[in-house]
């Protein structure tokens, strides 16, 4: 646990009188003189944080040394871990350097680390314990990789399911988000690692100019950050967007008035990377600029301009930013996906050519050193609080000192979380769990491998060697079930054979040329550990050849890499590539699974693209160069031809037809809007499900998605199991749920609509709510009616309500009782009984109805105020007692500018989802 940091107390010499005082007075004079001088020196140290040790260090620091605590820098290459951010510290005074790594979830550096269950899955557990244990896993991974600050949890609201980052949230409800986020923070920080909650605030849309009323701002969007502060979070990251007309990272209303003054936050505020637009943000509540200037050869050099510097700004314009260099980080479109929406770089500060920094402000008297000291003090206070002054995080560096991971302890948490997150959406005729007496066809690439992370972005990539598929796992956990497997969509493919290549000199194969100009011929491009042909570390070479295409059609081309960056050109056009973001952030190596849905079956990064090719020869050029991992370079060029795709599809349908039960695995990477990926031409997951259901009446769909999708096939299948992106151990978790070794008890952290238009942010009647907005403004005009609250207000029937989830057993609720709590909240008690044959968890949820009396504010029909997760054996009954804290009985009064208790009668409702509330009573709140 983090020790408290109470200021040291002093003992007054005047209180120590004895009969021997006179005898020893001469001896005491020198000592007393020294004590007086020492006390005077101590008193002369300006009080900045109230912690004497920290304040003394601040008094000894120069302005430039204080700057080293509030502006990002580039870590020396000898120790750099490819992490997101770095502070140099002040070695002269024993203040250590600080590394910051991306998430959530997990830890992203150049070294692959274990992949946890996706954030939406953690929220679906509705479990404080699961969230806290996931925080502990994150912290253990951080410490093993030499990381001091993890940039998580992501506690924005899943307000708009088309938001590019919505999948990273913990759902649509502020109470669920706040509780899960606070538990993650407590788990992380209990291990002595700083947590940084993000993104403050209203970063809940792709729109960059957000307007939201004060009641909704406080009750929906700020509320989870209040929980984070109460959990003791070390730091908070401000967001890219504007809030009510002012950039979030330079918004004094958000940072000073609300976060520091109202909420009482004592930690430091860090900018999102490139979210600083002006030097004076430090006067408005921002403490730290990230990532700082960065190395000059970084692909981000033209994008990131540093405002937090005391150096006189240069007159020449910053280098022009080439967005193409981000291709290796943002990844490409998979053959199954539509083209992505363009990324909005306009929110990133260095896109502004503003040559004003601290040097200018100090010269003009607009920035005093006390402000810099205050910001540095907030950072140093947390460094001291977490013990880094005494025990800096070891600087793990390179293959000579490989990380030591708590593999088994972490894996156990990841697997349990994935199982606890599983949401059973449909189970007609008890099609699940699978029966030992029947044959089962598992269909889809997500059955043979695990869709561990869905999409890479800013999270840990995971360990491909642990990502056992459900096919292999079910053979271990339930060998009595007879399983067949059909991949249907082969995501690894086969190396393009030698018979399809002609080198430039007319001979079979491809011409290889090293960086030294040495040429040779290779029959195929398959230099991998699996083939026993991996290349030396830091290899740099090209291959050129003519690809002999037998028939016209859509060819799926796969460039597969590990330990090397690379790209492929066909007929002079770049069609795929990965650069590892060398010199950048977010991990600077090419890791298995970074750019595709999954790594190859032998663990390589998998850059897959569809290319229309006519019959005949096509010029192909492949280029690689070693990344910063210093690992053997692996490269393979594979494909799946149109003919092979048809054969794979036909085999899947045949397998489904021959089996008693067909289980089809489908997926999304979170980059589609309410649809399963399918290019509408030669691959369609919705159509696949319907085709399988047409030949097998006992069809079950396993979803590896993190946002709701349309289900045109729902009435045609008997079972639907939502497994999210379950992390490295997801294959085991899925097998246990399907085989009935574990009863599903996860609950939806969002409302699953029937139509995209049913959501408040995507209803075409309200264009101002969309990311595009009206007149360049996105207005959250739905107010507090976000998610299920909107569906209740508008009386819209969802496909599945918030908090919904089936089980392999049944439960009954009874005997509801409420009474006032000691500190102003209420205590809610009720009985829950397992009335079925299977041991299982249950998630009772408490909702509070709108006040009967009128108050000057907006109130939903009912809102979640508390929940719990309990375990019950068959026939077992438990008395559940949950305390609802006072703040959840309150609303934000815009008139009074404070939290106000809505007194009088209010309904208290208890049940298993927002639309299954079996118990109801009324309480008079005073």
């Amino acid at each position: 646990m983090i020790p408290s940091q109470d200021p040291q107390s002093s003992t007054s010499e005047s209180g120590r009188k004895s009969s021997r005082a006179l005898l020893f007075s001469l001896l005491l004079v020198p000592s007393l003189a020294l004590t007086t001088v020492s006390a005077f020196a101590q008193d002369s140290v300006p009080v900045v944080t109230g912690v004497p040790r920290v304040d003394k260090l601040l008094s000894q620091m120069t302005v430039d040394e204080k700057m080293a605590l509030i502006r990002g820098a580039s870590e020396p290459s000898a120790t750099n871990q490819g992490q997101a951010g770095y502070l140099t510290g002040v070695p002269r005074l024993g203040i250590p350097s600080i590394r910051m790594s991306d998430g959530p979830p997990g830890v992203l550096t150049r070294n692959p680390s274990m992949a946890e269950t996706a954030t939406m899955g953690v929220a679906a557990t509705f479990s404080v314990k699961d969230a806290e244990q996931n925080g502990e896993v994150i912290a253990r991974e951080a410490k093993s990789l030499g990381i001091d600050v993890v940039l998580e949890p992501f506690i924005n609201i899943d307000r708009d399911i088309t938001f590019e980052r919505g999948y990273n949230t913990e759902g649509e409800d502020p109470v669920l988000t706040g509780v899960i986020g606070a538990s993650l923070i407590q788990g992380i920080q209990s291990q002595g690692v700083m947590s940084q909650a993000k993104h403050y605030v209203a970063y809940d849309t792709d729109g960059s100019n957000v307007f939201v009323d004060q009641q909704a701002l406080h009750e929906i969007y700020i509320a989870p950050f209040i929980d984070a502060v109460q959990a003791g979070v070390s730091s908070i990251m401000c967001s890219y967007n504007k809030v009510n007309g002012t950039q979030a990272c330079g918004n004094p209303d958000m940072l000073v008035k609300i976060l520091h003054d109202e909420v009482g936050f004592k930690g430091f505020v860090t900018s999102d990377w490139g979210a600083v637009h002006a030097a004076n943000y430090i006067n408005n509540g921002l403490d730290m600029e990230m990532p700082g200037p960065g190395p000059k050869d970084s692909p981000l050099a033209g994008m990131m301009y540093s405002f937090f510097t005391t150096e006189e700004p240069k007159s020449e314009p910053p280098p022009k930013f080439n967005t193409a260099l981000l291709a290796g980080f943002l990844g490409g479109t998979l053959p199954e996906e539509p083209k992505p929406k363009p990324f909005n770089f306009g929110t990133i500060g260095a896109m502004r050519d503003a040559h004003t920094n601290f040097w200018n402000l100090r010269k003009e008297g607009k920035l005093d050193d006390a402000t810099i000291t205050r910001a540095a003090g907030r950072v140093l206070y947390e460094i001291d609080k977490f013990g880094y002054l005494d025990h800096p995080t070891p600087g793990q560096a390179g293959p000579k000192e490989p990380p030591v991971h708590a593999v088994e302890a972490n894996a156990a948490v990841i697997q349990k979380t994935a199982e606890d997150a599983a949401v059973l959406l449909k189970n007609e005729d008890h099609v699940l769990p699978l029966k030992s007496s029947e044959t089962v066809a598992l269909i889809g690439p997500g059955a043979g491998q695990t869709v561990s992370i869905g999409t890479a972005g800013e999270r840990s990539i995971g360990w491909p060697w642990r990502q056992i598929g459900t096919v292999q796992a079910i053979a271990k956990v339930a060998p009595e079930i007879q399983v067949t497997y059909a991949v249907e969509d082969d995501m690894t493919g086969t190396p393009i054979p030698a018979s399809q290549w002609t080198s430039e000199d007319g001979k079979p194969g491809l011409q290889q040329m090293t960086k030294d100009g040495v040429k040779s011929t290779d029959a195929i491009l398959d230099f991998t550990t699996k083939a026993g042909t991996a290349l030396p570390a830091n290899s740099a070479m090209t291959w050129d050849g003519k690809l002999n295409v037998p028939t016209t059609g859509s060819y799926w081309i796969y460039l597969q890499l590990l330990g090397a960056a690379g790209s492929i050109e066909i007929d002079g056009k770049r069609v795929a590539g990965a650069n590892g973001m060398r010199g950048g952030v977010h991990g600077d190596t090419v890791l298995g699974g970074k750019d595709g849905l999954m790594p190859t079956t032998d663990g390589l990064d998998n850059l897959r693209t569809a290319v229309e090719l006519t019959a005949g020869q096509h010029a192909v050029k492949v280029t690689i160069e070693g990344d910063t991992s210093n690992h053997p370079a692996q490269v393979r060029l594979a494909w799946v031809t149109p003919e092979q795709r048809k054969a794979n599809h036909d085999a899947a349908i045949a397998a489904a037809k021959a089996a008693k039960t067909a289980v089809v695995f489908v997926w999304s990477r979170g980059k589609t809007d309410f649809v399963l990926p399918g290019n509408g031409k030669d691959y369609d997951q919705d159509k696949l499900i319907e085709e399988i259901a047409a030949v097998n009446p006992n069809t079950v769909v396993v979803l590896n998605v993190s946002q709701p999708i349309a289900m045109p096939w729902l009435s045609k299948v008997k079972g639907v199991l939502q497994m999210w992106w379950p992390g490295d151990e997801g294959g085991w978790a899925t097998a246990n749920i399907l085989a009935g070794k574990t009863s599903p008890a996860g609950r939806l952290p969002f409302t699953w609509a029937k139509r995209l238009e049913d959501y408040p942010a995507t209803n075409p009647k309200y264009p101002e709510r969309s990311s595009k907005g009206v007149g360049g403004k996105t207005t959250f005009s739905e107010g507090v009616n976000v998610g299920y609250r909107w569906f209740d207000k508008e009386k819209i029937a969802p496909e599945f309500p918030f908090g919904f989830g089936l089980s392999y057993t049944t439960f009954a609720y009874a005997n509801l009782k409420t009474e006032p709590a000691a500190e102003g909240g209420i205590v809610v008690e009720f009985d829950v009984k397992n009335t079925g044959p299977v041991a299982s968890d249950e998630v009772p949820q408490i909702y509070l109805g709108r006040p009967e009396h009128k108050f000057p504010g907006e109130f939903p029909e009912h809102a979640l105020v508390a929940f719990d997760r309990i375990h019950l054996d068959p026939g077992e009954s438990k008395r559940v007692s949950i305390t609802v804290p006072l703040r959840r009985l309150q609303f934000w009064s815009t008139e009074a500018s404070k939290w106000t208790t809505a007194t009088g009668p209010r309904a208290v409702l208890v049940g298993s989802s927002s639309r299954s509330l079996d118990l109801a009573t009324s309480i008079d709140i005073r």
Side-chain angles (χ1 to χ4, degrees):
M1 299 297 293
I2 304 303
S4 61
Q5 296 292 318
D6 295 328
Q8 297 174 358
S9 60
S10 59
T11 302
S12 174
E13 286 292 329
S14 63
R16 294 183 176 181
K17 294 183 178 180
S18 72
S19 60
R20 293 178 294 173
L22 188 59
L23 178 63
F24 294 109
S25 60
L26 294 176
L27 296 174
L28 286 173
V29 167
S31 176
L32 287 171
L34 289 173
T35 301
T36 303
V37 172
S38 176
F40 178 81
Q42 179 72 17
D43 292 341
S44 69
V45 174
V47 176
V48 179
T49 68
V51 178
R53 181 187 194 185
V54 173
D55 290 344
K56 183 177 181 180
L57 284 171
L58 288 171
S59 71
Q60 295 172 327
M61 295 166 65
T62 66
V63 170
D64 285 342
E65 287 173 333
K66 292 171 186 175
M67 293 297 302
L69 295 180
I70 65 172
R71 182 185 67 171
S74 300
E75 183 173 7
S77 59
T79 59
N80 191 303
Q81 298 303 300
Q83 74 277 358
Y86 179 74
L87 298 173
T88 60
V90 186
R92 178 179 72 86
L93 297 174
I95 300 172
S97 60
I98 297 293
R99 294 194 186 110
M100 301 179 174
S101 75
D102 263 319
V107 180
L108 178 57
T109 70
R110 70 159 52 104
N111 290 293
S113 64
M114 301 181 77
E116 293 85 11
T117 303
T119 57
M120 204 72 84
V122 176
T125 68
F126 276 66
S127 170
V128 168
K129 182 178 179 181
D130 281 343
E132 188 169 343
Q133 289 182 339
N134 272 265
E136 292 170 0
V137 170
I138 290 165
R140 286 196 291 263
E141 286 292 86
K143 293 173 83 169
S144 75
L145 297 165
I147 297 300
D148 308 283
V149 184
V150 291
L151 306 178
E152 52 196 302
F154 191 129
I155 53 174
N156 296 102
I157 299 297
D158 193 27
R159 168 192 172 270
D160 180 353
I161 69 166
T162 69
F163 174 37
E164 184 77 9
R165 299 291 301 278
Y167 69 86
N168 249 156
T169 67
E170 273 109 20
E172 69 186 21
D173 183 79
V175 170
L176 176 64
T177 298
V179 169
I180 296 297
S183 300
L184 282 162
I185 290 165
Q186 289 170 335
I188 292 167
Q189 297 193 161
S190 71
Q191 305 300 302
V193 174
M194 291 190 204
S195 169
Q196 184 165 118
K198 63 186 185 185
H199 307 79
Y200 184 82
V201 62
Y203 186 64
D204 313 88
T205 172
D206 286 322
S208 59
N209 190 12
V210 173
F211 287 79
V212 55
D213 69 82
Q214 288 298 315
Q215 185 183 358
L217 181 69
H218 282 79
E219 293 183 18
I220 305 296
Y221 305 102
I222 292 174
F225 289 93
I226 297 176
D227 293 330
V229 170
Q230 292 177 345
V233 72
S234 76
S235 52
I236 286 174
M237 181 190 296
C238 55
S239 54
Y240 284 124
N241 53 285
K242 291 181 179 179
V243 185
N244 294 334
T246 304
Q247 292 288 346
C249 286
N251 193 321
D253 287 340
M254 299 301 112
L255 299 178
V256 179
K257 180 182 177 182
I258 296 177
L259 185 59
H260 284 300
D261 295 346
E262 288 179 9
V263 178
F265 179 54
K266 301 300 183 185
F268 60 91
V269 177
T270 301
S271 76
D272 204 339
W273 271 227
V276 179
H277 296 252
N280 68 354
Y281 280 18
I282 194 170
N283 290 322
N284 298 336
L286 180 66
D287 299 306
M288 183 186 298
E289 178 193 57
M290 276 290 170
K296 294 181 179 179
D297 60 348
S298 167
L300 301 177
M303 185 169 68
M304 300 298 183
Y305 176 83
S306 180
F307 294 90
F308 278 34
T309 177
T310 56
E311 297 177 2
E312 183 176 359
K314 297 179 180 179
S315 58
E316 66 265 21
K320 187 176 180 181
F321 174 55
N322 181 4
T323 57
L325 292 173
L326 278 179
F329 168 61
L330 297 176
T333 303
L334 302 186
E336 300 89 348
E337 295 176 329
K339 289 184 177 180
K341 294 177 289 188
F343 185 82
N344 179 15
F345 291 102
T347 58
I348 299 177
M351 306 304 280
R352 281 82 179 144
D353 184 14
H355 285 84
T356 301
N357 59 24
F358 284 5
W359 184 88
N360 306 87
L361 296 187
R362 296 175 79 205
K363 184 177 181 181
E364 297 166 7
K366 297 178 180 179
L367 172 63
D368 57 35
D369 289 352
T371 301
I372 295 173
T373 302
R374 181 197 64 204
R378 287 174 176 162
V379 178
L380 188 57
Y381 174 88
E382 297 295 335
I383 290 174
D384 177 56
K385 176 182 175 181
F386 279 78
Y388 294 170
L389 289 177
D390 300 310
H391 305 288
T393 301
Q396 189 281 321
K400 293 182 180 179
E401 301 176 29
V404 178
H405 300 268
V407 179
E408 296 307 320
N410 292 347
V413 172
I414 294 169
Q415 180 177 329
K416 184 179 187 300
T417 303
E419 292 180 16
D420 286 353
V423 182
L424 184 60
L425 296 174
K426 183 176 182 180
N427 197 24
E428 184 180 335
D429 296 334
H430 301 287
V431 66
L432 292 177
L434 299 173
K435 317 302 186 292
S436 60
S437 59
E438 62 190 25
T439 57
V440 178
L442 300 184
I443 297 166
Q449 294 177 258
T450 294
V451 182
S452 174
I453 66 169
T455 187
E458 298 180 352
R459 60 158 299 163
S460 56
I461 304 300
W463 290 352
W465 56 91
R466 288 199 68 94
Q467 294 167 7
I468 304 300
T470 303
V471 173
Q472 302 97 309
I474 211 166
K476 296 282 189 180
V477 304
E480 67 277 8
I481 298 175
Q482 304 172 53
V483 173
T484 59
Y485 171 56
V487 67
E488 209 282 330
D489 181 12
D490 182 358
M491 292 193 175
T492 294
T494 56
I496 300 177
S499 60
Q500 305 304 130
W501 291 111
T502 303
S503 66
E504 289 187 348
D505 57 5
K507 297 179 181 179
L510 304 94
Q511 185 178 80
Q512 178 199 123
M513 185 169 70
T514 68
K515 62 182 178 181
D516 299 322
V518 178
K519 295 182 179 181
S520 60
T521 301
D522 295 315
I524 62 173
L525 191 44
D526 185 17
F527 294 91
T528 60
T529 300
K530 179 181 179 181
T533 55
L535 299 168
N538 301 310
S539 293
M541 55 191 65
T542 60
W543 289 266
D544 289 280
K546 300 291 185 181
L547 177 62
N548 303 304
V549 175
T551 59
T552 298
S554 178
Y555 287 76
W556 290 12
I557 307 295
Y558 305 166
L559 176 63
Q560 298 161 350
L561 302 164
L562 199 65
S567 64
I568 176 174
E569 296 178 4
I570 299 180
D571 295 329
K573 180 181 178 181
R574 185 183 190 273
V575 297
N579 64 29
M581 284 298 290
R582 285 165 299 152
V585 295
H586 306 296
D588 61 358
T589 54
V590 175
L591 301 174
K594 175 180 173 291
D595 294 289
L597 177 70
M598 299 179 290
T600 64
T601 53
D602 57 339
L604 277 62
D605 192 27
N606 202 4
L607 294 116
R608 305 168 57 245
T609 187
V611 183
E612 294 289 334
L613 296 174
T614 57
Q617 288 193 337
H618 294 267
V620 174
K621 183 184 185 71
V622 174
T623 302
I624 70 161
E625 57 180 331
D627 61 15
T628 58
S629 67
N630 293 314
H631 291 166
Q634 300 184 63
V635 56
R636 179 168 57 221
L637 187 59
W639 70 357
V640 177
T641 66
E643 294 77 15
Q644 187 59 55
R645 286 205 312 279
K646 184 178 185 307
N648 291 342
H649 179 73
D650 292 345
I653 301 301
K657 189 174 183 179
K660 175 68 174 177
T661 303
V663 182
V664 56
F665 288 66
V666 295
W667 56 271
S668 168
R669 291 202 299 168
K671 297 183 178 180
T672 54
D673 299 341
F674 205 63
V675 293
L676 285 172
N679 60 22
K681 181 180 179 182
D682 49 11
Y683 187 78
D684 189 321
Q685 292 190 95
D686 287 325
K687 182 179 178 183
L688 171 65
I689 295 169
E690 298 210 13
E691 287 181 287
I692 290 174
V695 301
N696 191 316
N698 298 313
T699 295
V700 174
V701 177
V702 174
L703 297 170
N704 287 127
V705 303
S706 195
Q707 289 280 41
I709 46 91
M711 297 181 172
W713 36 262
L714 182 60
S715 64
K716 301 174 184 178
V717 302
K718 284 195 174 177
V720 180
L721 177 64
Q722 163 67 305
M723 287 302 300
W724 313 97
W725 302 325
D728 285 342
E729 312 302 313
W732 300 106
T734 306
N736 280 336
I737 296 291
L738 290 175
K741 305 298 181 181
T742 303
S743 174
R747 299 294 184 262
L748 289 179
F750 50 61
T751 303
W752 201 303
K754 295 178 182 291
R755 309 179 310 150
L756 180 62
E757 296 79 10
D758 289 342
Y759 292 102
T762 48
N763 187 322
K765 293 181 182 179
Y766 306 97
E768 77 280 1
R769 299 177 184 171
S770 68
S771 58
K772 183 178 180 181
V774 174
K777 298 178 180 179
T778 295
T779 304
F780 293 3
S781 62
E782 69 275 16
V784 300
N785 289 304
V786 177
Y788 65 90
R789 302 169 179 218
W790 172 257
F791 284 76
D792 292 342
K793 178 178 182 290
E794 298 296 312
K795 296 179 171 54
I796 301 170
E799 196 74 80
F800 303 105
F802 171 84
F804 175 82
L806 300 174
S807 172
Y808 292 156
T809 190
T810 55
F811 298 94
Y813 289 73
N815 303 323
L816 175 62
K817 177 186 176 182
T818 63
E819 61 181 27
E823 297 182 357
I826 59 173
V827 177
V828 181
E829 294 185 350
F830 50 91
D831 295 329
V832 182
K833 183 177 182 179
N834 183 341
T835 56
V838 176
S840 182
D841 288 358
E842 171 64 343
V843 179
Q845 301 159 43
I846 302 173
Y847 293 80
L848 190 66
R850 66 168 66 245
E852 291 187 15
H853 297 163
K854 287 187 177 181
F855 291 91
E858 187 177 24
F859 295 88
E861 294 292 324
H862 58 264
L864 182 74
V865 290
F867 58 88
D868 198 1
R869 183 171 178 131
I870 60 174
H871 183 81
L872 293 168
D873 291 328
E876 183 182 4
S877 180
K878 283 185 179 179
R879 185 70 175 167
V880 179
S881 179
I882 301 175
T883 298
V884 180
L886 176 62
R887 186 165 63 83
R888 294 182 195 157
L889 309 180
Q890 298 179 319
F891 70 101
W892 179 262
S893 171
T894 302
E895 290 183 355
S897 293
K898 67 177 183 178
W899 290 96
T900 303
T901 302
T903 56
R906 298 187 74 174
V908 177
L909 307 103
V910 177
S912 58
S913 81
S914 66
R915 294 219 169 171
S916 181
L917 300 170
D918 299 332
L919 303 180
T921 189
S922 180
I923 188 169
D924 190 11
I925 299 173
R926 301 182 185 277

